[in-house]
Amino acid sequence: MKLPYKMKLPTVSLKIGCGFIASIPLLIGCQSDGYTSDEAIANLKVAHRWWLETALNNDEVIPIPQ
């Protein structure tokens, strides 16, 4: 099942490093990073899958995108 979750992809400040942080705000704690936006998004896809698997294994409620 694919659900259209909204993603955020801000640039990391040069003061604290460089790269991108990708997250799915609706899924608390579901985030990843990468040196490029493509890498951050690819890593987020993995984090998203793990987030959903963990939620299912723990009988947690999975928010449905609006």
Side-chain angles (χ1 to χ4, degrees), residues 3-27:
L3 300 174
Y5 286 100
K6 291 183 181 179
M7 179 184 62
K8 288 177 66 175
L9 187 67
T11 304
V12 177
S13 166
L14 292 176
K15 291 181 181 179
I16 59 173
C18 60
F20 296 84
I21 298 173
S23 66
I24 300 174
L26 189 58
L27 306 179

Side-chain angles (χ1 to χ4, degrees), residues 2-59:
K2 291 190 178 202
L3 300 174
Y5 286 100
K6 291 183 181 179
M7 179 184 62
K8 288 177 66 175
L9 187 67
T11 304
V12 177
S13 166
L14 292 176
K15 291 181 181 179
I16 59 173
C18 60
F20 296 84
I21 298 173
S23 66
I24 300 174
L26 189 58
L27 306 179
I28 304 300
C30 186
Q31 63 184 22
S32 192
D33 63 0
Y35 289 109
T36 66
S37 59
D38 289 339
E39 182 180 29
I41 292 168
N43 292 339
L44 182 61
K45 289 178 182 180
V46 174
H48 181 211
R49 183 173 49 245
W50 288 346
W51 194 101
L52 292 174
E53 287 177 7
T54 300
L56 288 170
N57 288 336
N58 292 318
D59 294 322

